[in-house]
Amino acid sequence: MFDADEGLAEGTEMNRAEIMHSHLPEDHPPVQRPRIGVLLANLGTPDNYDYWSMRRYLNEFLSDRRVIDYSPWIWQPLLQTIILTKRPFSSGAAYKSIWNHEAGESPLMTITKDQTAKIKAAMAERYGDDVIVDFCMRYGNPSTRSKVRSLAEQGCQKILFFPLYPQYAGATTATANDQFFRALLYEKWQPTVRTVPAYYEHPKYIEALAQSVERAYGAMETRPDVLVASYHGVPRRYLMEGDPYHCQCQKTTRLLRERLGWDQAEIVTTFQSRFGPEEWLKPYTVEEVARLAETGKKNIAVIAPAFSADCIETLEEINEEIRESFEEAGGEAFTYIPCLNDDDTHVEALSTVIDENLSGWVAPRR
């Protein structure tokens, strides 16, 4: 058996890969130079907006016990016989309305690729080829398992897993981590791993949010009456069961307001994407924007701090459904401020979070 430590200790002129291969017996499988992987993870996307693509995606998503925690004996018959018969049509139409037809993919996929490319460049500048950056999706493709396998094949003996959710929730961060750990079950030689915690209060994330608001407001002729910070909702029961998501969302809004130097009345926290019969976190965005319009707030802006990339919930739900609710209630001016996406301030924030979590594993070359 090849002794990696002995081999690495002996060489001075040869690089690490050459040292390892020089000590390998002829019948030994190839050994890659040890590297570190950074695996970014987002929610996911269907491969297309046709019925069967949508059904496969929705089945995986809505079968996740972190997302829908009702008893499978009750939920699965309802899901398979009713919901997945009808919902792929309506969801497919929504995806079609925002689809990147030129690239043949959803906006979330396009943006995540762009984010990954920029973060990869930033990591290469800091660490050379010691760090490999890639991305995966919790649902759909590219799968978490396939990307863990790819990083292992490239010699990543350590992997930093980074769910791209600023605020922690069991239905987002935790399920992404679950899937990552499941992927490790299939590795003969499991890498050493770390997971990145929520970065909802990180100064550079707050700064990136603030600058996006300032740019948007600076381009408007009339300043909005209120900024609505709309976060993805979860059942209120999750809060009572110990999920910190609600509190982290509230803190993000407070820190953003403090950075902007605004009064409390100038920004409100709401929650969108309610699903099912039980009570979810309130106020509901779709109802709150109508209430604002009815009480004389005719000019509002909406931002989505819980999303690292624009997706169906922002491009279709906020910019169409929630906008419509506001306008039907008498609202006059509705501005959606895009997610941070691949903006340079956002990439710098994410890269800084990665740097902090790589500490002790690798040192920057500069």
Side-chain angles (χ1 to χ4, degrees), residues 33-91:
R33 177 170 70 85
R35 289 189 172 100
I36 295 171
V38 174
L39 186 56
L40 311 172
N42 216 319
L43 181 74
T45 171
D47 295 325
N48 210 322
Y49 50 79
D50 63 275
Y51 176 85
W52 290 109
S53 295
M54 290 304 311
R55 184 178 176 113
R56 283 193 300 272
Y57 174 73
L58 291 171
N59 183 49
E60 184 179 9
F61 175 50
L62 295 175
S63 294
D64 186 349
R65 294 296 304 280
R66 289 278 194 180
V67 175
I68 305 292
D69 63 355
Y70 302 145
S71 167
W73 294 102
I74 298 173
W75 175 244
Q76 281 298 322
L78 179 64
L79 176 65
Q80 300 299 329
T81 62
I82 298 177
I83 296 174
L84 291 180
T85 299
K86 299 179 179 180
R87 187 155 180 171
F89 291 109
S90 58
S91 294

Short mmCIF file of all heavy atoms in Angstrom, two decimals, residues 33-91:
data_model
loop_
_atom_site.label_atom_id
_atom_site.label_comp_id
_atom_site.label_asym_id
_atom_site.label_seq_id
_atom_site.Cartn_x
_atom_site.Cartn_y
_atom_site.Cartn_z
N ARG A 33 -3.77 14.70 -6.53
CA ARG A 33 -3.19 15.61 -5.54
C ARG A 33 -4.28 16.09 -4.60
O ARG A 33 -5.36 16.47 -5.05
CB ARG A 33 -2.56 16.81 -6.25
CG ARG A 33 -1.99 17.84 -5.30
CD ARG A 33 -1.16 18.87 -6.04
NE ARG A 33 -1.95 19.75 -6.88
CZ ARG A 33 -2.55 20.85 -6.43
NH1 ARG A 33 -2.50 21.15 -5.14
NH2 ARG A 33 -3.22 21.63 -7.25
N PRO A 34 -4.05 16.07 -3.28
CA PRO A 34 -5.10 16.51 -2.34
C PRO A 34 -5.51 17.96 -2.58
O PRO A 34 -4.66 18.85 -2.72
CB PRO A 34 -4.43 16.35 -0.97
CG PRO A 34 -3.35 15.34 -1.18
CD PRO A 34 -2.86 15.57 -2.59
N ARG A 35 -6.80 18.17 -2.66
CA ARG A 35 -7.34 19.51 -2.83
C ARG A 35 -8.51 19.71 -1.86
O ARG A 35 -8.93 18.79 -1.17
CB ARG A 35 -7.83 19.73 -4.27
CG ARG A 35 -6.74 19.83 -5.32
CD ARG A 35 -7.36 20.27 -6.64
NE ARG A 35 -6.35 20.57 -7.64
CZ ARG A 35 -5.99 19.76 -8.62
NH1 ARG A 35 -6.54 18.57 -8.71
NH2 ARG A 35 -5.09 20.12 -9.52
N ILE A 36 -9.05 20.93 -1.88
CA ILE A 36 -10.22 21.26 -1.06
C ILE A 36 -11.35 21.65 -2.00
O ILE A 36 -11.14 22.43 -2.94
CB ILE A 36 -9.90 22.41 -0.09
CG1 ILE A 36 -8.86 21.96 0.93
CG2 ILE A 36 -11.17 22.91 0.60
CD1 ILE A 36 -8.33 23.08 1.80
N GLY A 37 -12.52 21.11 -1.77
CA GLY A 37 -13.68 21.45 -2.58
C GLY A 37 -14.60 22.42 -1.85
O GLY A 37 -14.78 22.32 -0.63
N VAL A 38 -15.16 23.35 -2.58
CA VAL A 38 -16.21 24.23 -2.08
C VAL A 38 -17.44 23.93 -2.91
O VAL A 38 -17.44 24.15 -4.13
CB VAL A 38 -15.83 25.72 -2.18
CG1 VAL A 38 -17.01 26.60 -1.78
CG2 VAL A 38 -14.61 26.02 -1.33
N LEU A 39 -18.48 23.41 -2.28
CA LEU A 39 -19.69 23.03 -3.01
C LEU A 39 -20.83 23.95 -2.61
O LEU A 39 -21.34 23.89 -1.48
CB LEU A 39 -20.04 21.57 -2.71
CG LEU A 39 -21.22 20.99 -3.51
CD1 LEU A 39 -20.98 21.12 -5.01
CD2 LEU A 39 -21.44 19.53 -3.13
N LEU A 40 -21.22 24.83 -3.54
CA LEU A 40 -22.36 25.72 -3.33
C LEU A 40 -23.64 24.95 -3.59
O LEU A 40 -23.69 24.12 -4.50
CB LEU A 40 -22.27 26.91 -4.29
CG LEU A 40 -20.91 27.65 -4.35
CD1 LEU A 40 -20.94 28.67 -5.48
CD2 LEU A 40 -20.60 28.31 -3.02
N ALA A 41 -24.68 25.24 -2.82
CA ALA A 41 -25.94 24.51 -3.00
C ALA A 41 -27.12 25.47 -2.99
O ALA A 41 -27.21 26.35 -2.13
CB ALA A 41 -26.12 23.48 -1.89
N ASN A 42 -28.01 25.29 -3.97
CA ASN A 42 -29.24 26.06 -3.98
C ASN A 42 -30.43 25.11 -4.04
O ASN A 42 -30.25 23.88 -4.07
CB ASN A 42 -29.28 27.06 -5.14
CG ASN A 42 -29.98 28.35 -4.75
OD1 ASN A 42 -31.00 28.33 -4.06
ND2 ASN A 42 -29.43 29.48 -5.18
N LEU A 43 -31.63 25.66 -4.04
CA LEU A 43 -32.84 24.85 -3.90
C LEU A 43 -33.00 23.84 -5.03
O LEU A 43 -33.17 22.64 -4.80
CB LEU A 43 -34.07 25.76 -3.85
CG LEU A 43 -35.40 25.02 -3.68
CD1 LEU A 43 -35.53 24.50 -2.27
CD2 LEU A 43 -36.56 25.93 -4.03
N GLY A 44 -33.00 24.31 -6.26
CA GLY A 44 -33.17 23.41 -7.38
C GLY A 44 -34.10 23.98 -8.43
O GLY A 44 -34.70 25.05 -8.26
N THR A 45 -34.21 23.25 -9.53
CA THR A 45 -34.97 23.72 -10.67
C THR A 45 -35.38 22.52 -11.52
O THR A 45 -34.63 21.55 -11.61
CB THR A 45 -34.12 24.68 -11.52
OG1 THR A 45 -34.80 24.97 -12.74
CG2 THR A 45 -32.76 24.12 -11.83
N PRO A 46 -36.56 22.58 -12.11
CA PRO A 46 -36.92 21.52 -13.07
C PRO A 46 -36.03 21.60 -14.31
O PRO A 46 -35.49 22.67 -14.62
CB PRO A 46 -38.38 21.82 -13.40
CG PRO A 46 -38.54 23.28 -13.13
CD PRO A 46 -37.63 23.59 -11.98
N ASP A 47 -35.88 20.49 -14.99
CA ASP A 47 -35.08 20.49 -16.22
C ASP A 47 -35.79 21.22 -17.35
O ASP A 47 -35.14 21.73 -18.27
CB ASP A 47 -34.79 19.05 -16.65
CG ASP A 47 -33.92 18.31 -15.65
OD1 ASP A 47 -33.04 18.96 -15.05
OD2 ASP A 47 -34.11 17.10 -15.46
N ASN A 48 -37.12 21.25 -17.28
CA ASN A 48 -37.91 21.97 -18.28
C ASN A 48 -39.26 22.29 -17.66
O ASN A 48 -39.51 21.91 -16.51
CB ASN A 48 -38.07 21.13 -19.56
CG ASN A 48 -38.20 21.99 -20.80
OD1 ASN A 48 -38.84 23.04 -20.78
ND2 ASN A 48 -37.59 21.55 -21.90
N TYR A 49 -40.13 22.96 -18.40
CA TYR A 49 -41.42 23.33 -17.84
C TYR A 49 -42.56 22.47 -18.38
O TYR A 49 -43.74 22.79 -18.19
CB TYR A 49 -41.72 24.81 -18.08
CG TYR A 49 -41.53 25.28 -19.51
CD1 TYR A 49 -42.48 25.03 -20.48
CD2 TYR A 49 -40.37 25.97 -19.87
CE1 TYR A 49 -42.30 25.45 -21.79
CE2 TYR A 49 -40.18 26.41 -21.18
CZ TYR A 49 -41.15 26.14 -22.13
OH TYR A 49 -40.96 26.57 -23.41
N ASP A 50 -42.24 21.37 -19.06
CA ASP A 50 -43.27 20.46 -19.52
C ASP A 50 -43.83 19.66 -18.34
O ASP A 50 -43.26 19.64 -17.24
CB ASP A 50 -42.72 19.51 -20.58
CG ASP A 50 -41.61 18.63 -20.03
OD1 ASP A 50 -40.44 19.08 -20.01
OD2 ASP A 50 -41.91 17.51 -19.58
N TYR A 51 -44.94 18.98 -18.56
CA TYR A 51 -45.65 18.30 -17.48
C TYR A 51 -44.76 17.32 -16.72
O TYR A 51 -44.69 17.33 -15.49
CB TYR A 51 -46.88 17.57 -18.03
CG TYR A 51 -47.61 16.76 -16.97
CD1 TYR A 51 -48.55 17.36 -16.15
CD2 TYR A 51 -47.33 15.39 -16.80
CE1 TYR A 51 -49.21 16.62 -15.16
CE2 TYR A 51 -47.99 14.65 -15.83
CZ TYR A 51 -48.92 15.27 -15.01
OH TYR A 51 -49.56 14.55 -14.04
N TRP A 52 -44.07 16.42 -17.42
CA TRP A 52 -43.33 15.36 -16.75
C TRP A 52 -42.08 15.89 -16.05
O TRP A 52 -41.73 15.41 -14.96
CB TRP A 52 -42.99 14.25 -17.73
CG TRP A 52 -44.21 13.48 -18.13
CD1 TRP A 52 -44.85 13.49 -19.34
CD2 TRP A 52 -45.00 12.64 -17.28
NE1 TRP A 52 -45.97 12.71 -19.31
CE2 TRP A 52 -46.10 12.16 -18.06
CE3 TRP A 52 -44.89 12.23 -15.95
CZ2 TRP A 52 -47.06 11.31 -17.54
CZ3 TRP A 52 -45.86 11.37 -15.43
CH2 TRP A 52 -46.92 10.92 -16.22
N SER A 53 -41.43 16.89 -16.64
CA SER A 53 -40.29 17.50 -15.94
C SER A 53 -40.75 18.16 -14.65
O SER A 53 -40.10 18.04 -13.61
CB SER A 53 -39.63 18.54 -16.85
OG SER A 53 -39.05 17.95 -17.98
N MET A 54 -41.88 18.87 -14.72
CA MET A 54 -42.41 19.52 -13.53
C MET A 54 -42.86 18.49 -12.50
O MET A 54 -42.64 18.67 -11.29
CB MET A 54 -43.59 20.42 -13.91
CG MET A 54 -43.23 21.67 -14.70
SD MET A 54 -42.00 22.73 -13.87
CE MET A 54 -42.66 22.86 -12.22
N ARG A 55 -43.47 17.42 -12.96
CA ARG A 55 -43.95 16.41 -12.02
C ARG A 55 -42.78 15.76 -11.27
O ARG A 55 -42.84 15.56 -10.05
CB ARG A 55 -44.78 15.34 -12.74
CG ARG A 55 -45.39 14.33 -11.77
CD ARG A 55 -46.25 13.29 -12.44
NE ARG A 55 -46.71 12.33 -11.44
CZ ARG A 55 -47.96 12.18 -11.05
NH1 ARG A 55 -48.91 12.94 -11.55
NH2 ARG A 55 -48.27 11.27 -10.13
N ARG A 56 -41.71 15.42 -11.99
CA ARG A 56 -40.54 14.83 -11.33
C ARG A 56 -39.96 15.78 -10.29
O ARG A 56 -39.64 15.36 -9.17
CB ARG A 56 -39.46 14.48 -12.37
CG ARG A 56 -39.73 13.24 -13.19
CD ARG A 56 -38.49 12.80 -13.95
NE ARG A 56 -38.03 13.83 -14.87
CZ ARG A 56 -38.46 13.95 -16.12
NH1 ARG A 56 -39.37 13.11 -16.61
NH2 ARG A 56 -37.97 14.90 -16.90
N TYR A 57 -39.83 17.03 -10.68
CA TYR A 57 -39.25 18.01 -9.76
C TYR A 57 -40.14 18.23 -8.53
O TYR A 57 -39.67 18.20 -7.40
CB TYR A 57 -39.04 19.34 -10.50
CG TYR A 57 -38.58 20.46 -9.61
CD1 TYR A 57 -37.28 20.48 -9.12
CD2 TYR A 57 -39.44 21.48 -9.24
CE1 TYR A 57 -36.84 21.50 -8.29
CE2 TYR A 57 -39.03 22.50 -8.40
CZ TYR A 57 -37.72 22.51 -7.94
OH TYR A 57 -37.31 23.52 -7.10
N LEU A 58 -41.43 18.43 -8.77
CA LEU A 58 -42.35 18.68 -7.66
C LEU A 58 -42.48 17.46 -6.75
O LEU A 58 -42.62 17.59 -5.53
CB LEU A 58 -43.72 19.09 -8.20
CG LEU A 58 -43.80 20.46 -8.86
CD1 LEU A 58 -45.15 20.65 -9.53
CD2 LEU A 58 -43.55 21.56 -7.84
N ASN A 59 -42.41 16.27 -7.33
CA ASN A 59 -42.48 15.07 -6.51
C ASN A 59 -41.30 14.98 -5.55
O ASN A 59 -41.46 14.67 -4.37
CB ASN A 59 -42.53 13.83 -7.41
CG ASN A 59 -42.69 12.54 -6.60
OD1 ASN A 59 -43.56 12.45 -5.74
ND2 ASN A 59 -41.84 11.57 -6.87
N GLU A 60 -40.11 15.27 -6.06
CA GLU A 60 -38.93 15.24 -5.19
C GLU A 60 -39.01 16.31 -4.12
O GLU A 60 -38.75 16.06 -2.94
CB GLU A 60 -37.66 15.44 -6.04
CG GLU A 60 -36.38 15.32 -5.22
CD GLU A 60 -35.12 15.49 -6.05
OE1 GLU A 60 -35.22 15.87 -7.24
OE2 GLU A 60 -34.02 15.27 -5.49
N PHE A 61 -39.41 17.51 -4.52
CA PHE A 61 -39.49 18.63 -3.60
C PHE A 61 -40.56 18.41 -2.53
O PHE A 61 -40.30 18.53 -1.32
CB PHE A 61 -39.78 19.91 -4.40
CG PHE A 61 -40.01 21.15 -3.56
CD1 PHE A 61 -39.12 21.51 -2.56
CD2 PHE A 61 -41.11 21.97 -3.80
CE1 PHE A 61 -39.32 22.64 -1.80
CE2 PHE A 61 -41.32 23.11 -3.05
CZ PHE A 61 -40.42 23.45 -2.04
N LEU A 62 -41.76 18.06 -2.95
CA LEU A 62 -42.88 17.96 -2.02
C LEU A 62 -42.89 16.64 -1.24
O LEU A 62 -43.69 16.48 -0.32
CB LEU A 62 -44.19 18.15 -2.77
CG LEU A 62 -44.38 19.54 -3.38
CD1 LEU A 62 -45.66 19.60 -4.20
CD2 LEU A 62 -44.38 20.63 -2.31
N SER A 63 -42.00 15.71 -1.59
CA SER A 63 -41.85 14.47 -0.81
C SER A 63 -40.80 14.62 0.29
O SER A 63 -40.62 13.69 1.09
CB SER A 63 -41.48 13.30 -1.73
OG SER A 63 -42.53 12.99 -2.61
N ASP A 64 -40.12 15.73 0.33
CA ASP A 64 -39.09 15.98 1.34
C ASP A 64 -39.77 16.22 2.69
O ASP A 64 -40.55 17.16 2.85
CB ASP A 64 -38.25 17.19 0.93
CG ASP A 64 -37.07 17.44 1.86
OD1 ASP A 64 -37.00 16.82 2.94
OD2 ASP A 64 -36.22 18.28 1.50
N ARG A 65 -39.47 15.39 3.69
CA ARG A 65 -40.10 15.53 4.99
C ARG A 65 -39.69 16.80 5.71
O ARG A 65 -40.35 17.22 6.67
CB ARG A 65 -39.77 14.31 5.87
CG ARG A 65 -40.36 13.00 5.39
CD ARG A 65 -41.89 12.99 5.41
NE ARG A 65 -42.43 13.32 6.72
CZ ARG A 65 -42.54 12.48 7.74
NH1 ARG A 65 -42.11 11.22 7.61
NH2 ARG A 65 -43.07 12.86 8.89
N ARG A 66 -38.59 17.41 5.29
CA ARG A 66 -38.23 18.72 5.86
C ARG A 66 -39.15 19.83 5.34
O ARG A 66 -39.35 20.83 6.00
CB ARG A 66 -36.79 19.07 5.48
CG ARG A 66 -35.72 18.25 6.15
CD ARG A 66 -35.41 18.78 7.52
NE ARG A 66 -34.16 18.22 8.05
CZ ARG A 66 -33.65 18.52 9.23
NH1 ARG A 66 -34.27 19.38 10.01
NH2 ARG A 66 -32.53 17.97 9.63
N VAL A 67 -39.68 19.64 4.14
CA VAL A 67 -40.54 20.64 3.52
C VAL A 67 -41.99 20.43 3.95
O VAL A 67 -42.68 21.35 4.39
CB VAL A 67 -40.41 20.59 1.99
CG1 VAL A 67 -41.40 21.55 1.32
CG2 VAL A 67 -38.98 20.94 1.58
N ILE A 68 -42.48 19.21 3.81
CA ILE A 68 -43.83 18.84 4.22
C ILE A 68 -43.69 17.72 5.25
O ILE A 68 -43.34 16.59 4.88
CB ILE A 68 -44.69 18.36 3.03
CG1 ILE A 68 -44.71 19.40 1.91
CG2 ILE A 68 -46.10 18.03 3.51
CD1 ILE A 68 -45.43 20.69 2.24
N ASP A 69 -43.93 18.03 6.51
CA ASP A 69 -43.65 17.04 7.54
C ASP A 69 -44.90 16.30 8.02
O ASP A 69 -44.89 15.67 9.07
CB ASP A 69 -42.93 17.69 8.73
CG ASP A 69 -43.77 18.76 9.43
OD1 ASP A 69 -44.88 19.07 8.96
OD2 ASP A 69 -43.31 19.29 10.46
N TYR A 70 -45.98 16.34 7.24
CA TYR A 70 -47.16 15.55 7.57
C TYR A 70 -46.84 14.07 7.42
O TYR A 70 -45.92 13.68 6.69
CB TYR A 70 -48.33 15.91 6.65
CG TYR A 70 -48.73 17.37 6.67
CD1 TYR A 70 -49.19 17.99 5.52
CD2 TYR A 70 -48.65 18.13 7.84
CE1 TYR A 70 -49.56 19.33 5.52
CE2 TYR A 70 -49.02 19.47 7.86
CZ TYR A 70 -49.47 20.07 6.69
OH TYR A 70 -49.82 21.39 6.70
N SER A 71 -47.60 13.23 8.06
CA SER A 71 -47.40 11.78 7.96
C SER A 71 -47.49 11.35 6.50
O SER A 71 -48.43 11.71 5.78
CB SER A 71 -48.48 11.05 8.77
OG SER A 71 -48.48 9.67 8.45
N PRO A 72 -46.51 10.57 6.02
CA PRO A 72 -46.56 10.09 4.63
C PRO A 72 -47.83 9.30 4.33
O PRO A 72 -48.29 9.29 3.18
CB PRO A 72 -45.31 9.19 4.52
CG PRO A 72 -44.41 9.67 5.60
CD PRO A 72 -45.29 10.12 6.72
N TRP A 73 -48.41 8.65 5.35
CA TRP A 73 -49.63 7.87 5.13
C TRP A 73 -50.79 8.79 4.72
O TRP A 73 -51.70 8.37 4.00
CB TRP A 73 -50.00 7.10 6.40
CG TRP A 73 -49.00 6.04 6.74
CD1 TRP A 73 -48.03 6.11 7.68
CD2 TRP A 73 -48.86 4.77 6.11
NE1 TRP A 73 -47.27 4.96 7.70
CE2 TRP A 73 -47.78 4.11 6.74
CE3 TRP A 73 -49.53 4.11 5.08
CZ2 TRP A 73 -47.36 2.84 6.37
CZ3 TRP A 73 -49.12 2.84 4.72
CH2 TRP A 73 -48.06 2.21 5.36
N ILE A 74 -50.72 10.03 5.17
CA ILE A 74 -51.76 11.01 4.81
C ILE A 74 -51.33 11.81 3.59
O ILE A 74 -52.10 12.00 2.65
CB ILE A 74 -52.02 11.97 5.99
CG1 ILE A 74 -52.53 11.19 7.20
CG2 ILE A 74 -52.99 13.08 5.59
CD1 ILE A 74 -52.65 12.02 8.46
N TRP A 75 -50.07 12.25 3.58
CA TRP A 75 -49.61 13.19 2.57
C TRP A 75 -49.38 12.55 1.20
O TRP A 75 -49.79 13.11 0.18
CB TRP A 75 -48.32 13.88 3.04
CG TRP A 75 -47.70 14.78 2.02
CD1 TRP A 75 -46.49 14.63 1.41
CD2 TRP A 75 -48.28 15.97 1.46
NE1 TRP A 75 -46.25 15.65 0.52
CE2 TRP A 75 -47.34 16.49 0.53
CE3 TRP A 75 -49.49 16.63 1.65
CZ2 TRP A 75 -47.59 17.64 -0.20
CZ3 TRP A 75 -49.73 17.79 0.92
CH2 TRP A 75 -48.78 18.28 0.01
N GLN A 76 -48.73 11.40 1.15
CA GLN A 76 -48.36 10.82 -0.14
C GLN A 76 -49.56 10.47 -1.03
O GLN A 76 -49.53 10.76 -2.23
CB GLN A 76 -47.45 9.61 0.06
CG GLN A 76 -45.99 9.97 0.35
CD GLN A 76 -45.34 10.73 -0.80
OE1 GLN A 76 -45.58 10.45 -1.97
NE2 GLN A 76 -44.51 11.71 -0.47
N PRO A 77 -50.63 9.87 -0.51
CA PRO A 77 -51.78 9.64 -1.38
C PRO A 77 -52.36 10.94 -1.95
O PRO A 77 -52.72 10.99 -3.14
CB PRO A 77 -52.80 8.95 -0.45
CG PRO A 77 -51.94 8.28 0.57
CD PRO A 77 -50.81 9.22 0.80
N LEU A 78 -52.41 11.98 -1.13
CA LEU A 78 -52.89 13.28 -1.59
C LEU A 78 -51.95 13.86 -2.65
O LEU A 78 -52.39 14.37 -3.69
CB LEU A 78 -53.00 14.23 -0.40
CG LEU A 78 -53.46 15.67 -0.69
CD1 LEU A 78 -54.88 15.68 -1.24
CD2 LEU A 78 -53.35 16.51 0.58
N LEU A 79 -50.65 13.74 -2.38
CA LEU A 79 -49.65 14.28 -3.32
C LEU A 79 -49.71 13.56 -4.66
O LEU A 79 -49.75 14.20 -5.72
CB LEU A 79 -48.25 14.15 -2.71
CG LEU A 79 -47.08 14.58 -3.60
CD1 LEU A 79 -47.14 16.07 -3.90
CD2 LEU A 79 -45.74 14.22 -2.93
N GLN A 80 -49.71 12.24 -4.63
CA GLN A 80 -49.58 11.46 -5.86
C GLN A 80 -50.86 11.44 -6.69
O GLN A 80 -50.79 11.41 -7.93
CB GLN A 80 -49.17 10.02 -5.52
CG GLN A 80 -47.84 9.90 -4.79
CD GLN A 80 -46.67 10.44 -5.60
OE1 GLN A 80 -46.67 10.37 -6.82
NE2 GLN A 80 -45.66 10.96 -4.90
N THR A 81 -52.01 11.50 -6.05
CA THR A 81 -53.27 11.35 -6.80
C THR A 81 -53.93 12.67 -7.17
O THR A 81 -54.67 12.74 -8.16
CB THR A 81 -54.28 10.52 -5.99
OG1 THR A 81 -54.58 11.20 -4.76
CG2 THR A 81 -53.73 9.14 -5.70
N ILE A 82 -53.67 13.72 -6.40
CA ILE A 82 -54.34 15.00 -6.67
C ILE A 82 -53.36 16.10 -7.04
O ILE A 82 -53.41 16.66 -8.14
CB ILE A 82 -55.19 15.43 -5.45
CG1 ILE A 82 -56.28 14.39 -5.18
CG2 ILE A 82 -55.81 16.81 -5.70
CD1 ILE A 82 -57.12 14.67 -3.95
N ILE A 83 -52.42 16.38 -6.13
CA ILE A 83 -51.53 17.54 -6.32
C ILE A 83 -50.66 17.36 -7.56
O ILE A 83 -50.55 18.27 -8.40
CB ILE A 83 -50.67 17.77 -5.06
CG1 ILE A 83 -51.57 18.13 -3.88
CG2 ILE A 83 -49.63 18.87 -5.31
CD1 ILE A 83 -50.85 18.25 -2.56
N LEU A 84 -50.03 16.19 -7.72
CA LEU A 84 -49.13 15.99 -8.86
C LEU A 84 -49.86 15.70 -10.16
O LEU A 84 -49.23 15.58 -11.21
CB LEU A 84 -48.14 14.86 -8.55
CG LEU A 84 -47.09 15.19 -7.48
CD1 LEU A 84 -46.16 14.01 -7.26
CD2 LEU A 84 -46.29 16.43 -7.85
N THR A 85 -51.18 15.62 -10.09
CA THR A 85 -51.97 15.53 -11.31
C THR A 85 -52.25 16.91 -11.89
O THR A 85 -52.22 17.12 -13.10
CB THR A 85 -53.30 14.81 -11.03
OG1 THR A 85 -53.02 13.49 -10.55
CG2 THR A 85 -54.16 14.72 -12.29
N LYS A 86 -52.44 17.89 -10.99
CA LYS A 86 -52.83 19.23 -11.42
C LYS A 86 -51.69 20.24 -11.39
O LYS A 86 -51.53 21.05 -12.31
CB LYS A 86 -53.97 19.74 -10.53
CG LYS A 86 -55.23 18.88 -10.59
CD LYS A 86 -56.30 19.43 -9.65
CE LYS A 86 -57.58 18.60 -9.73
NZ LYS A 86 -58.63 19.12 -8.81
N ARG A 87 -50.90 20.21 -10.32
CA ARG A 87 -49.95 21.30 -10.10
C ARG A 87 -48.87 21.41 -11.18
O ARG A 87 -48.41 22.52 -11.47
CB ARG A 87 -49.31 21.18 -8.71
CG ARG A 87 -48.45 22.38 -8.37
CD ARG A 87 -48.32 22.60 -6.90
NE ARG A 87 -47.48 23.76 -6.61
CZ ARG A 87 -47.34 24.29 -5.41
NH1 ARG A 87 -48.00 23.81 -4.39
NH2 ARG A 87 -46.55 25.33 -5.23
N PRO A 88 -48.39 20.32 -11.79
CA PRO A 88 -47.38 20.48 -12.84
C PRO A 88 -47.82 21.41 -13.97
O PRO A 88 -46.99 22.08 -14.59
CB PRO A 88 -47.15 19.06 -13.33
CG PRO A 88 -47.44 18.20 -12.14
CD PRO A 88 -48.59 18.89 -11.47
N PHE A 89 -49.12 21.47 -14.24
CA PHE A 89 -49.61 22.35 -15.30
C PHE A 89 -49.47 23.82 -14.90
O PHE A 89 -48.92 24.64 -15.65
CB PHE A 89 -51.08 22.03 -15.63
CG PHE A 89 -51.27 20.72 -16.30
CD1 PHE A 89 -51.88 19.66 -15.62
CD2 PHE A 89 -50.87 20.52 -17.62
CE1 PHE A 89 -52.07 18.44 -16.24
CE2 PHE A 89 -51.06 19.29 -18.25
CZ PHE A 89 -51.66 18.25 -17.56
N SER A 90 -49.95 24.18 -13.70
CA SER A 90 -49.88 25.57 -13.26
C SER A 90 -48.44 26.00 -12.99
O SER A 90 -48.03 27.11 -13.36
CB SER A 90 -50.74 25.78 -12.01
OG SER A 90 -50.33 24.93 -10.95
N SER A 91 -47.67 25.13 -12.36
CA SER A 91 -46.26 25.47 -12.09
C SER A 91 -45.47 25.56 -13.39
O SER A 91 -44.60 26.42 -13.54
CB SER A 91 -45.63 24.42 -11.16
OG SER A 91 -46.22 24.45 -9.88
#
